[in-house]
């Protein structure tokens, strides 16, 4: 597509439930990133996919968080047994492999609220 | 030392003013640098890349000082529409590392 698409745009869930967040990157972009941004805070890196390489999971805050990327395109971020501290905006971005001077393009995010 | 540090502001400036933001980074091996803009409750958007020789895009000028590990953004003739948070972004060992941002409010 023309941009990075994320769904849902908003999600309210009860503490302890599992949630799935979806990201559809720009067509042809080989790299996909998940970040999250809590209210008034900076962007916190979560996980990175590059082509067929093993993902860089170094930013995942706990084993309740996981992500997969099927067919080198769409990615799903799953949060199990959600906690209130998981409330944040989850941002997905994609880039071509040679990012050099082009940076990342972000989707509009999923605003997750755990009640 | 944090990977990317910025003055959080807010910077409150009148229309037409010139304002400068600074940013320091800790990874001396970083090769790519960017400024992003983030409007309230929106996603970050690339404003401009930062080149070693310095670069200009209209009213915006970015500078890089590798020796001091310092990046700057200068905005001339500020407009109301420039009000946003400006994020300094530095290449790490992939992915990009984002500063927490500097908030700018341009006042009529």
């Amino acid at each position: 597509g023309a941009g990075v698409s994320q769904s849902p745009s908003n999600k309210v869930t009860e503490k302890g439930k599992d949630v799935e967040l979806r990201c559809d990157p720009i067509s042809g972009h080989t790299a996909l990133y998940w970040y999250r941004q809590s209210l008034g805070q900076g962007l916190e890196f979560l996980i990175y996919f590059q082509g067929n390489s093993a993902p860089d999971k170094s930013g995942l805050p706990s084993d309740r968080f996981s992500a997969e990327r099927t067919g080198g395109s769409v990615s799903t971020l799953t949060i199990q047994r959600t906690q209130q501290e998981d409330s944040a905006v989850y941002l997905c971005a994609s880039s071509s492999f040679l990012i050099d001077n082009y940076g990342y393009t972000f989707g509009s995010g999923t605003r997750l609220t755990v009640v | 030392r944090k990977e990317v540090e910025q003055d959080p502001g807010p910077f409150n400036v009148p229309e037409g003013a010139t304002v400068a933001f600074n940013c320091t980074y800790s990874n001396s091996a970083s090769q790519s640098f960017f400024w992003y803009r983030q409007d309230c409750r929106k996603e970050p958007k690339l404003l401009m890349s930062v080149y070693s020789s310095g670069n200009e895009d209209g009213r915006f000028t970015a500078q890089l000082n590798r020796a001091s590990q310092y990046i700057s953004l200068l905005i001339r003739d500020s407009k109301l529409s420039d009000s946003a948070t400006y994020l300094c972004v530095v290449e790490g060992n992939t992915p990009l590392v984002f500063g927490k941002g500097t908030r700018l409010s341009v006042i009529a």
Side-chain angles (χ1 to χ4, degrees), chain A residues 27-92:
Chain A
S27 178
H29 277 190
T30 57
L32 186 149
Y33 313 82
W34 284 98
Y35 287 79
R36 73 176 175 182
Q37 188 173 31
S38 301
L39 189 63
Q41 299 299 309
L43 273 72
E44 176 188 4
F45 165 69
L46 298 176
I47 188 168
Y48 156 57
F49 297 88
Q50 172 57 58
N52 295 321
S53 303
D56 175 355
K57 304 179 182 180
S58 60
L60 293 179
S62 78
D63 59 8
R64 297 185 296 104
F65 288 73
S66 63
E68 62 177 20
R69 189 179 184 192
T70 53
S73 182
V74 172
S75 176
T76 302
L77 176 69
T78 301
I79 309 173
Q80 296 179 309
R81 304 180 304 281
T82 51
Q83 303 294 314
Q84 288 187 327
E85 62 263 28
D86 299 334
S87 296
V89 176
Y90 288 80
L91 291 160
C92 175

Side-chain angles (χ1 to χ4, degrees), chain B residues 3-100:
Chain B
E3 288 193 80
V4 179
E5 290 201 69
Q6 297 182 249
D7 180 344
F11 284 57
N12 299 314
V13 303
E15 271 187 293
T18 296
V19 61
F21 306 137
N22 302 317
C23 165
T24 57
Y25 62 95
S26 61
N27 185 352
S28 60
S30 296
Q31 295 294 319
S32 298
F33 308 89
F34 307 89
W35 283 100
Y36 275 68
R37 169 191 170 129
Q38 186 171 26
D39 292 289
C40 188
R41 298 177 74 87
K42 297 287 189 182
E43 73 274 19
K45 292 185 177 177
L46 180 64
L47 177 65
M48 60 196 300
S49 303
V50 185
Y51 306 135
S52 295
S53 54
N55 51 298
E56 188 174 307
D57 183 2
R59 297 182 293 108
F60 298 82
T61 300
Q63 296 278 352
L64 169 64
N65 183 322
R66 286 188 187 273
S68 300
Q69 295 179 206
Y70 170 100
I71 304 160
S72 66
L73 176 69
L74 182 78
I75 305 175
R76 291 182 299 278
D77 188 23
S78 299
K79 311 291 185 191
L80 294 176
S81 57
D82 294 334
S83 297
T85 297
Y86 291 83
L87 308 177
C88 174
V89 184
V90 175
E91 176 212 2
N93 296 317
T94 307
L96 294 179
V97 180
F98 287 76
K100 291 189 175 182

Side-chain angles (χ1 to χ4, degrees), chain A residues 8 10-15 17 19 110-115:
Chain A
N10 283 284
K11 176 72 177 178
V12 180
T13 190
E14 291 181 354
K15 179 181 172 181
K17 300 282 189 184
V19 294
T110 294
R111 186 173 299 275
L112 175 66
T113 304
V114 182
V115 296

